[in-house]
Each structure stands twice: as structure tokens, then as C-alpha cells.
Amino acid sequence: MSTDPNDLESLVNRRYEHGFVTDIESETLPPGLNEDVIRAISARKKEPEFMLDWRLKAYRHWLTLQEPEWAHVHYPQIDYQDISYFSAPKSDDDRPKSLDEVDPKLLETYEKLGIPLHERARLAGVAVDAVFDSVSVATTFKDKLHDAGVIFCPFSEAVIKHPDLVKKYLGSVVPHRDNFFAALNSAVFTDGSFVYIPKGVRCPMELSTYFRINAANTGQFERTLIVAEEGSHVSYLEGCTAPMRDENQLHAAVVELVAMKDAEIKYSTVQNWYPGDENGKGGIYNFVTKRGDCRGDNSRISWTQVETGSAITWKYPSCILRGENSVGEFYSVAVTNNMQQADTGTKMIHIGKNSSSTIVSKGISAGRAQQSYRGLVKVMPQADGARNHTQCDSLLIGKNCGAHTFPYMEVKNPSAKVEHEATTSRISENQLFYCRQRGISEEDAVNMIVNGFCKEVFKELPMEFAVEAQALLNVSLEGAVG
Amino acid sequence: MLEVKNLKASIVGKEILSGLNLSVAAGEVHAIMGPNGSGKSTLAQVIAGQTDYEVTDGSVEFLGKDLLELETEERAREGIFLGFQYPVEIPGVNNAYLLKAAVNAKRKHHGLSEIDAFEFLKLAREKMAMLGMDQSFLNRGVNEGFSGGEKKRNEILQMAMLEPLLAILDETDSGLDIDALKAVANGVNSLRDPERAIVLVTHYQRLLDYIEPDYVHVLSGGRIVRSGDKSLALELEERGYEWVREAANA
């Protein structure tokens, strides 16, 4: 291995060896999108009338919209008539029967990531019947949540069992008219999660734990809605560090969070979708709309994300700080390597008096990747005493990658305090030589420096995930320096 | 322990070392002196494995092994330590973390089990007390915001923790006030050992008042032009580097 600066990029050739593809053999609707397709989706899911009406309204609005072009990402034109919008879940017959039938390389990655043994089978898509452990653990969790009065179920189940709640809150944070991808999602979403925490209840467990054991493949148009009633508290984690491959290239999810008075929602994401080969071919396009509404006074919504996958990421988890003294937080680590492109950041909209927000964004670029932070801090005229602190740091590995920062601030109240700090640094040859002279291998040195850079964000993750996330970064940047 | 024979090295095509010979045995302290640009630091960097330099001729043996065949980190694990002239800052990486990773990388290389956090802390505290360093050092970022004196002390702490067989200290005295110089010299002296060789690279005689060398070499034009005992350093101080330059050209 050489540390000649001219060679620095030559080893940015990590391949995503750990993904896996299973043939889809399911009831799949033919490609194309029209009102009949939407009716068919709704019918298959046995949805009540209001749901179909909402989907159609979204679809008709979507037809009037143009795909946005302002993001700092480039990709070929997407043909929306070439996508199939519904496929039933895989049958168990198509799945591996046990871990022995799973690609050993995938298992090796699980090992590297430190994923608990009992979760590996499910992550690898082993037929559920074979995963005895997980099933019993999940049942225990289900009972515990039920006793606390927490509703946690697939979105499609909520539509049928809790139509009033869905009707009341769906689209109340991200309306179907919000943006191109959100409108598309509203029309064709297939499933997702629904969480309802009643007044005064502290959810008895991290929903991550349950989610990791029970969640099925989420599909390309995912819809999540979390409602935390007055004084309640919930921590939710989506995604996982294990590499995820999907036949569907386009992903457009919507997540809506509602926090009432004194309620708190902590939403953590670990995203490791297939990023494509070194030329970016075949990777997932991830266009996500995530927004939280701090509707009540003293409410708090916190987004923490670790993003390492996808060919293209377009994502701005945001908070509308409506309540007085409400708090919005955004902690993000985004890693882009090879040809990955990410345009990500957050929006903090201050409406309530003395609302405050914190933004900590850590971007790491390697290879020929391009990464942009795009953030908006908006203080409305009525938001007396609003405060924001933004810290936006970029770390570059090698010479052919890029980091860009687009901070927008709109402050309409003179008593507001808004601060923005930004830094850009590069892992230097001198740092690597110093570490190697102390006996530490180059790869370990890079990991050490990267993890030091991300420390502030990792400490916001649920503990068991912080460790995995750290390992994930190391795997994602394998061979980024040579 | 260290045998350097006819070593020639260059950087971006410019030759810096032009046939250097040096032999260092265990237990010895060597001082390498010379004017700016004579190749002192280059020698230290080449032995440590800085790949910006290209070795064009000659050989370097360490304990009978061909050092030039080894990666930088392997050389370190075999027992070579370089005290840097300008220790680099690594923001966000905890000093203790780096130190522990380094100690364990070496232990692993020698087939030993990893040191646990408790043992490590005990050892680190011991060495820090010896060097008169504050405990808070461990929790700061590596060299982050350190003063010149703190950085040099930190190098000596790393050396004390890693217990190298061959320690090369590059201009360890530069930028130190007299108290810091004494502290660093005390640290180095306490690490003198019949099993260990120390090579001091220095521009001035001053350091040698505190660390007494067994041999002094004068470097000029990329070669050792004169070797002697510590009296050579004093003579050099008196007559200046012009004297050796003339001698080299003669």
C-alpha cells in the first residue's frame, strides 16, 4: 500500500459485494400508472373508500407537477410508466430455508457489522417459519406494547382497523400536494408503519428493537405515520445497517410525525441501500419526504440519520416548530463514495415563541462522490425568541470528491438568534503517516479519524445501533484510501 | 541493531541522501547533527517509511531484517519509533484512543493479548506522572490545540508507552523553552536502556547538555562527513557548520 498522494484515488474501488437479489415471483401489476392501477392497489389492500379518494386526489395533483430539478444531483430521466406499482410479498418457497443457503459474503458482512445472531436469518430473507427465535421474541414485544396501549402496526392494517386516526392525521404534516415525490407516494404507497402513542404513555421499548425483528420488506413507496399524544414519548428506528438490495430502483417514501403538547419523538434512520457499482449503475434512487410537526407546546422531535447507501439521496427531514418552546433536532452523518450523490439536509420552521432547533450535519465524501448539505432555517414573524444553531462539517477523502453547502436562512423576527458554523477538512497524508508510524494500519487510521469526526451524531443513536453504525461506516469506506 | 549502508534517497527527483552509512547498536545514543537541508530529517523519515521519499540505492537493516521491504506500520510494530518534528493534529480522535490502538497493534503483532482499558489507563497514568503531564491530556484530541511543548511531550509519552527498540527523535528540542526541554530530556533519559537505541536528530548542541550521546555524527550534503564522541558536538558549536562543509568539500 502506498500513501503517494497521486495514488490516493486509485484504491477507491470498493465494490458492493454484499447485496443480494432474489427473483420476484409474485402477483405483480404490469408497469404503468393510471387511475385503474391506483384502484387496483386500493382494492387489493381492501381499503375503505376515503383512502381510495385520497389516493386519486393525490394522483390527479401529481399529474400537474414537474419533477424537481433544483437538487445538486444528476441522473437519467425516470420513466414513471415503466415502473410496476404493486407486487405482493414473496412467498416462503422463494426464500432460503436456512442460513446455510445464504451467500457467505453476506454473512461475513453481518459479522463485520456486529449484527446479533438471532437477527441474521431474518435480514437474509430466510423463510419466517425457520426463524423460531425471532417470532417468539416478536410476540412478547407485541403483548408488551398492547398492554401499554401503543398501536404499532403495518400502515395497511391501520387503514382498516383505525380509520379515524388515519383519516385525522394522514397528510396533516406532508399534504398530498406537498411535492412531486410526496404526491406520487400518496397515490401509490403500498405499506409502511403506523404508530400511535396515547396520552401520557412512554413507549415501553425502543420501537427499533421490535422493528428489526418483525418488519417485512418495506417496498419502494413506504408511508409512515407516527402520532405522539400529549405527554407521550417514543423512540423509533427505521432501516438497518445490513446491506439492502431492491429490484426497484426508485424509492419515494413519506414519513409524517406529529408531536402534541409535551410529547417527544425520536426518529433514527440507518440507510444502507445498494449504491450501485463504481460507475453508479444500478443503485437506488432515494427521494424521501420526512417531516415532523411539533404541534403542541414543549414538544420535541429529533431526527438522527446515518446514510451510507443509495446512488442518489434526496432527503430533508424537517421540523415545523409550531408549539411554544418546542424543540427540533437534526443529527446527520452522510457518507458518499464512488459515484454516489447526496443532496440532503433539513428544514427548521420556527413558528412558536421560544422554539429552538439544533442542526449537526457531518458529510463524508470519498471517490468521485458529490455531496451537498441543503438546509433552511426559517423564523416566522410571530416566533419571538427563536433560536437555531447549525453546525455543518465536511470531511473529504481523496481529491476527486466534492462537498457543497447551501444554507438558507429566512429570519422575519428581530429577536431570533440564528448561528451557522461550517468546516471542510481533508484526511491528510500526514495524519495517515503519523498513525501508521504508531503501528496502526491505514484502514484503521481512516476509520479512527472518520469515527472521531462523527462522534457527535453517533452518541444520539440508540446504543446498540451506535456500535453498528460505526462498523457500517468502516465497511462503507473500505478501500477509500490506499 | 540498525545498519544503514550507502543509502541514497530522493524526493520528486531531487537527491537528499547520497550514500549514507550509519551503524547503531543496542544501548547506544547517537546524535545526528548538521545544517539545515543536510538530510537529517530525511534520514529519520526514510527509516520510518515515509513513502514520499524514493530509495534509489543502498540498504537499511534492522535486527537483520531488510527494513525497506516492510510497510510503515510493520516497521513501527517491529520496534521503530519516530518522534515527529511537527506532530500532526487529528481533531476528534481521542489521545487515549490512538495510544491504546497503537499499543494493541504492537502487542497483536508480537502475539500478545490486547491490553484492557483498565490496565491501559494505569500504565498511561504512570508514564504521564513520570513526564509531569496532566491527566487531562488523555481526553483531548490528538495534538489538537496543543502548545509546541505539549506536542513534544506527547511524543515522548507515546514513546514511553510503546517501548520501542529504536527511537528516532527528530528535532525534539525545537521550539521548547528550557523547562519543557528539561522535562522532555528527563523523559528520554529515563527510557535509556541497554536494550534500546536512541537516535537524536538535532540542529543545536543544547539538547546534548541534557541527553548525553555516545556518538555524534555530522551530516552534510546527504552523507555523514564526520563522526566522533560528544566532544565533536562542542567543537561544532564553536566552529560552526561551515567548518564541516569545508571538510566535506575538501
Side-chain angles (χ1 to χ4, degrees), chain B residues 41-182:
Chain B
S41 286
T42 299
L43 175 63
Q45 300 260 327
V46 168
I47 292 172
Q50 163 60 274
T51 46
D52 288 352
Y53 295 95
E54 192 193 347
V55 174
T56 52
D57 201 3
S59 65
V60 181
E61 273 189 13
F62 178 65
L63 298 170
K65 285 183 191 156
D66 182 357
L67 200 62
L68 301 176
E69 283 296 306
L70 298 181
E71 297 283 354
T72 306
E73 55 266 40
E74 289 170 331
R75 300 182 196 191
R77 294 170 195 161
E78 286 286 327
I80 291 180
F81 178 89
L82 172 62
F84 284 78
Q85 182 176 5
Y86 304 110
V88 67
E89 297 194 8
I90 312 179
V93 175
N94 191 290
N95 219 10
Y97 190 88
L98 176 101
L99 210 49
K100 188 160 168 256
V103 168
N104 279 330
K106 186 173 175 186
R107 289 181 66 96
K108 205 172 154 195
H109 181 73
H110 291 282
L112 299 170
S113 64
E114 293 202 348
I115 190 168
D116 68 34
F118 194 74
E119 270 176 278
F120 168 79
L121 217 59
K122 195 176 148 220
L123 193 67
R125 288 199 173 126
E126 217 172 86
K127 305 284 186 193
M128 289 171 84
M130 184 185 86
L131 294 168
M133 290 169 75
D134 193 84
Q135 301 284 319
S136 65
F137 248 71
L138 285 178
N139 299 321
R140 291 166 67 183
V142 175
N143 296 318
E144 196 179 357
F146 284 22
S147 71
E150 285 176 326
K151 282 185 182 169
K152 296 297 171 73
R153 257 188 238 208
N154 199 27
E155 296 292 290
I156 304 301
L157 171 65
Q158 293 181 3
M159 171 179 160
M161 291 292 289
L162 289 167
E163 302 183 324
L165 294 169
L166 172 66
I168 305 166
L169 303 176
D170 190 6
E171 305 270 1
T172 291
D173 51 330
S174 68
L176 295 187
D177 63 28
I178 195 73
D179 291 334
L181 181 66
K182 275 185 187 165

Side-chain angles (χ1 to χ4, degrees), chain A residues 61-118:
Chain A
H61 183 70
W62 179 73
L63 289 175
T64 70
L65 298 175
Q66 294 289 320
E67 194 173 323
E69 283 174 355
W70 45 264
H72 190 71
V73 291
H74 304 279
Y75 54 93
Q77 184 92 36
I78 299 169
D79 182 353
Y80 293 91
Q81 293 303 332
D82 198 30
I83 294 171
S84 167
Y85 290 86
F86 184 84
S87 68
K90 292 178 195 122
S91 89
D92 283 355
D93 296 342
D94 298 335
R95 297 161 174 250
K97 299 287 174 290
S98 77
L99 278 178
D100 297 341
E101 292 177 29
V102 173
D103 181 357
K105 281 198 171 145
L106 183 69
L107 298 178
E108 197 183 300
T109 307
Y110 291 167
E111 185 71 46
K112 279 189 196 166
L113 294 172
I115 290 169
L117 277 172
H118 67 267

